[in-house]
């Protein structure tokens, strides 16, 4: 058989999966060899882990939507829409996420209550803060601004002729966006979008300061009764790593599957 | 060919900032006519073509297509459905195979069902001579093949008018012929065509009239034989002597 250099079919399995396996293996190994405290800790934080995953997944779906609207708004020729979108992006990305989360949890409910009292509307006046809901709002509000810029850049990277061709065939602006420009833009922005997903997963740990019992907060609670910071935070770090490394591989897999030549 | 004008352009002006790209252009294109626009680059010929389906909005004047004035066209998309356009850079949808390139607007705009759209697409691919490329992506085709797909894509909407914006300018010499052959076949079928091109061979073979544009104005208008044989303007003579030599 003749061998042509460079003509080997690309390996179907992404070799970096071994890193995910390695870290996951380490977690298993520690749990088996030293169930106390590692396995006990995992059992203790697993509900927090579920919250972290849920929070990230739900927030990210909305981030994708808000980002799309924000990105289209930034590109809109309508002055008012453009102004609103630009203000949103510029203001939100200038305030630390931690400060924003604290604002949504502590300040926002008070604002709502005061408005409720002011207009004499009981459902608002008696508003009770829902920590998880407000955490999602905070994450989406902040990450949506970053995502808007990613969408904007992605849409702008698609040659103008694509939209012109769509319009010349009688498609409306939105039909052209939906069927021609966005499908191409989304493939372009997959790497930075994947990046945002992983960043969001990590930043979701900040919600532990606003009464959400995520993995980080559960770790702190465990440490508070067992006084073993090295073991607790090493294991929590490893658990985050398993999730982020796994996500990175998934993003890579999607990228490879949706690739097309320009 | 009838004498009814299907495109009427009256005193159209277009400015891009300080640049006055079209300075009072008027012309009529009759139904079934092949109308060729030539002129040096920057003369406004592409701008004029793009005004006809309002990819470019003109500042003053009036353009009427199929009896609908573009100024008060409630829905420009309706007008555009009847006007096919072929671009210099092909502009095939890069993320879709050839067949889907031909089917998309049929499905989305014309609301045809899948089978109908597919049948139309396949018969048009047959017509432009590349039925075997139905599943290929645009990037896998040569320039000439891409441009033939682009023509088929526009034809799939059953337009009354076809606009060609320098359709062969981005092609290698050996691919130009395959595209011109498709355009010639279209012309013979009686399609109304407005063509911006420097292919004098095509103009000679297919055009009913040629206009020569310079600096945003029409300098001369004549049947091709007449324009080539004895151009009236010095500017036209100078231009043609350069183009025809090659």
């Amino acid at each position: 058989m003749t061998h042509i250099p460079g003509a080997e079919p690309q390996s179907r399995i992404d070799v970096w999966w071994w890193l995910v396996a390695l870290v996951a293996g380490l977690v298993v190994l520690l749990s088996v060899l030293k169930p106390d405290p590692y396995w006990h800790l995992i059992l203790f934080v697993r509900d927090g882990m579920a919250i972290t995953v849920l929070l990230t997944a739900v927030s990210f779906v909305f981030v994708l939507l808000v980002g799309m609207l924000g990105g289209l708004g930034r590109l809109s020729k309508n002055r008012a829409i453009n102004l609103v979108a630009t203000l949103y992006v510029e203001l939100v990305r200038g305030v630390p996420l931690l400060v924003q989360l604290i604002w949504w949890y502590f300040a926002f409910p008070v604002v709502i209550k005061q408005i409720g009292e002011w207009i004499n509307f009981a459902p608002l006046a008696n508003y009770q803060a829902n920590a998880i809901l407000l955490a999602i709002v905070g994450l989406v509000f902040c990450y949506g601004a970053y995502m808007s810029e990613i969408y904007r850049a992605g849409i702008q990277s698609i040659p103008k002729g694509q939209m012109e061709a769509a319009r010349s065939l009688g498609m409306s602006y939105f039909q052209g966006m939906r069927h021609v420009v966005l499908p191409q833009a989304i493939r372009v922005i997959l790497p930075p979008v994947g990046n945002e997903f992983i960043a969001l997963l990590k930043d979701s740990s900040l919600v532990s300061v606003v009464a959400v019992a995520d993995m980080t907060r559960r770790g702190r609670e465990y440490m508070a009764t067992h006084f073993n910071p090295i073991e607790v935070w090493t294991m929590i770090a490893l658990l985050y790593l398993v999730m982020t490394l796994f996500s990175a591989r998934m993003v890579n897999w999607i990228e490879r599957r949706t690739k097309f030549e320009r | 060919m009838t004498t009814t004008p299907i495109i009427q352009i009256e005193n159209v002006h277009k400015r891009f900032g300080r640049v006055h790209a079209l300075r009072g252009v008027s012309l009529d294109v009759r139904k079934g006519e092949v109308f060729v626009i030539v002129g040096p680059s920057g003369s406004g010929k592409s701008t004029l073509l793009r005004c006809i389906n309002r990819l470019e909005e003109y500042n003053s004047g009036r353009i009427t297509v199929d009896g609908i004035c573009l100024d008060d066209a409630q829905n420009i998309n309706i007008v555009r459905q009847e006007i096919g356009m072929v671009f210099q850079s092909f502009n095939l949808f890069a993320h879709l195979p050839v067949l889907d390139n031909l089917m998309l607007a049929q499905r989305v705009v014309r609301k045809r069902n899948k089978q109908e759209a597919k049948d139309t697409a396949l018969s048009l691919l047959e017509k432009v001579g590349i039925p075997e490329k139905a599943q290929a992506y645009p990037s896998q085709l040569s320039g000439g093949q891409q441009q033939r797909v682009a023509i088929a894509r526009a034809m799939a909407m059953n337009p009354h008018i076809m606009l060609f914006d320098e359709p062969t300018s981005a092609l290698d010499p050996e691919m130009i012929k395959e595209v011109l052959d498709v355009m010639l076949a279209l012309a013979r079928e009686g399609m109304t065509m407005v063509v911006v091109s420097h292919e004098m061979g095509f103009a000679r073979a297919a055009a009913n009239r040629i206009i020569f544009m310079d600096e945003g104005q029409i300098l001369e208008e004549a049947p091709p034989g007449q324009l080539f044989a004895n151009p009236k303007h010095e500017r036209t003579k100078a231009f043609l002597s350069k183009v025809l030599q090659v």
Side-chain angles (χ1 to χ4, degrees):
Chain A
M1 232 168 70
T2 45
H3 176 79
I4 306 160
E8 305 89 349
Q10 205 185 4
S11 165
R12 290 198 151 263
I13 297 163
D14 173 7
V15 289
W16 284 92
W17 278 108
W18 68 262
L19 189 61
V20 186
L22 191 79
V23 179
L26 193 58
V27 170
V28 172
L29 197 69
L30 286 173
S31 312
V32 171
L33 292 183
K34 270 191 82 181
D36 184 27
Y38 293 115
W39 182 240
H40 297 168
L41 172 70
I42 289 176
L43 291 178
F44 186 81
V45 302
R46 64 184 171 179
D47 52 349
M49 207 187 296
I51 297 264
T52 292
V53 170
L54 182 88
L55 202 60
T56 308
V58 172
S59 299
F60 198 66
V61 170
F62 286 103
V63 167
L64 289 175
L65 285 172
V66 170
M68 187 185 294
L69 293 178
L72 289 173
R74 290 271 277 160
L75 293 168
S76 173
K77 287 197 182 98
N78 180 314
R79 282 265 184 88
I81 294 175
N82 192 301
L83 183 74
V84 170
T86 306
L87 272 179
Y88 164 60
V89 170
E90 292 295 337
L91 294 182
V92 168
R93 67 179 177 180
V95 178
L97 175 56
L98 184 56
V99 174
Q100 290 188 39
L101 288 170
I102 293 171
W103 190 90
W104 283 107
Y105 183 65
F106 290 104
F108 178 73
V110 180
V111 172
I112 292 293
K113 277 181 196 163
Q114 286 190 346
I115 291 175
E117 280 164 25
W118 191 46
I119 62 172
N120 213 353
F121 185 58
L124 286 188
N126 301 327
Y127 175 74
Q128 289 298 313
N130 177 326
I132 289 193
L133 190 68
L134 288 174
I136 290 173
V137 169
L139 289 172
V140 170
F141 198 71
C142 179
Y143 268 77
Y146 297 123
M147 198 59 88
S148 300
E149 287 299 87
I150 293 176
Y151 269 98
R152 181 179 64 80
I155 292 167
Q156 282 178 326
S157 78
I158 304 304
K160 249 178 67 192
Q162 295 285 308
M163 180 56 102
E164 285 187 349
R167 297 307 304 271
S168 77
L169 289 163
M171 285 187 227
S172 66
Y173 175 80
F174 285 103
Q175 286 172 332
M177 261 299 156
R178 173 166 161 224
H179 296 288
V180 176
V181 177
L182 279 177
Q184 298 184 51
I186 284 168
R187 284 159 167 103
V188 173
I189 64 177
L190 253 175
V193 166
N195 220 22
E196 288 298 288
F197 179 81
I198 291 162
L200 178 65
L201 178 61
K202 292 183 293 174
D203 277 353
S204 74
S205 62
L206 291 173
V207 303
S208 60
V209 302
V210 287
V212 177
D214 77 321
M215 190 160 80
T216 303
R217 190 183 180 93
R218 293 294 281 161
R220 260 178 27 207
E221 286 168 6
Y222 189 87
M223 190 187 68
T225 49
H226 295 78
F227 313 106
N228 43 2
I230 296 178
E231 290 86 347
V232 170
W233 294 111
T234 305
M235 182 48 92
I236 295 284
L238 285 173
L239 291 175
Y240 272 111
L241 256 182
V242 171
M243 290 195 261
T244 52
L245 291 175
F246 178 79
S247 308
R249 286 346 317 141
M250 289 308 287
V251 171
N252 182 283
W253 180 73
I254 296 170
E255 247 178 75
R256 289 215 254 175
R257 279 188 47 122
T258 57
K259 201 162 79 176
F260 68 96
E261 296 295 322
R262 179 157 278 293
Chain B
M1 198 174 89
T2 64
T3 49
T4 342
I6 190 166
I7 304 170
Q8 283 178 289
I9 300 175
E10 294 162 57
N11 198 25
V12 163
H13 285 264
K14 169 71 186 173
R15 288 181 186 80
F16 294 103
R18 279 194 194 153
V19 181
H20 199 164
L22 294 178
R23 305 167 183 240
V25 175
S26 300
L27 61 87
D28 284 351
V29 178
R30 291 186 284 269
K31 200 158 191 260
E33 189 172 30
V34 177
F35 198 96
V36 172
I37 305 174
V38 298
S41 66
S43 60
K45 51 195 190 317
S46 285
T47 305
L48 177 62
L49 194 74
R50 291 163 59 86
C51 281
I52 296 176
N53 68 352
R54 223 171 79 181
L55 279 184
E56 222 64 83
E57 283 186 41
Y58 45 92
N59 301 110
S60 66
R62 219 178 128 81
I63 297 182
T64 312
V65 177
D66 247 346
I68 304 170
C69 178
L70 295 191
D71 299 317
D72 41 52
Q74 291 297 314
N75 190 345
I76 187 65
N77 299 325
I78 307 260
V79 182
R80 283 183 180 143
Q81 290 170 25
E82 310 303 331
I83 310 176
M85 180 146 186
V86 175
F87 300 86
Q88 180 177 355
S89 50
F90 327 133
N91 296 350
L92 293 180
F93 303 138
H95 63 303
L96 297 176
V98 165
L99 191 63
D100 298 76
N101 261 276
L102 267 65
M103 286 170 65
L104 181 62
Q106 294 191 66
R107 303 267 290 138
V108 173
V109 180
R110 287 268 190 246
K111 311 283 182 208
R112 290 180 186 155
N113 68 43
K114 206 167 182 177
Q115 195 55 48
E116 194 187 353
K118 194 175 171 184
D119 292 344
T120 311
L122 287 175
S123 75
L124 279 164
L125 284 179
E126 193 82 44
K127 196 167 163 185
V128 299
I130 33 177
E132 74 281 5
K133 297 290 184 188
Q135 300 305 330
Y137 279 86
S139 62
Q140 296 166 322
L141 305 181
S142 73
Q145 290 171 332
Q146 288 193 51
Q147 195 61 299
R148 283 187 282 157
V149 172
I151 294 172
R153 179 177 67 179
M155 293 298 299
M157 297 294 286
N158 304 104
H160 301 159
I161 301 165
M162 286 283 286
L163 309 177
F164 292 84
D165 188 4
E166 307 207 25
T168 57
S169 300
L171 296 178
D172 289 340
E174 54 188 317
M175 289 168 189
I176 291 177
K177 189 175 175 298
E178 64 190 53
V179 171
L180 290 181
D181 284 345
V182 171
M183 289 170 63
L184 273 172
L186 263 185
R188 282 196 205 102
E189 285 169 21
M191 173 63 74
T192 308
M193 295 164 69
V194 183
V195 184
V196 170
S197 177
H198 290 150
E199 293 300 327
M200 294 303 156
F202 172 81
R204 210 187 285 273
N208 301 101
R209 277 188 294 161
I210 301 189
I211 57 169
F212 177 75
M213 282 187 73
D214 192 31
E215 297 186 342
Q217 288 175 315
I218 298 175
L219 281 192
E220 216 165 315
E221 178 192 316
Q226 199 178 319
L227 191 85
F228 290 152
N230 46 9
K232 292 190 198 95
H233 271 266
E234 281 306 317
R235 189 72 191 83
T236 319
K237 270 181 210 164
F239 179 79
L240 286 177
S241 71
K242 278 175 205 145
V243 181
L244 291 176
Q245 250 172 27
V246 189

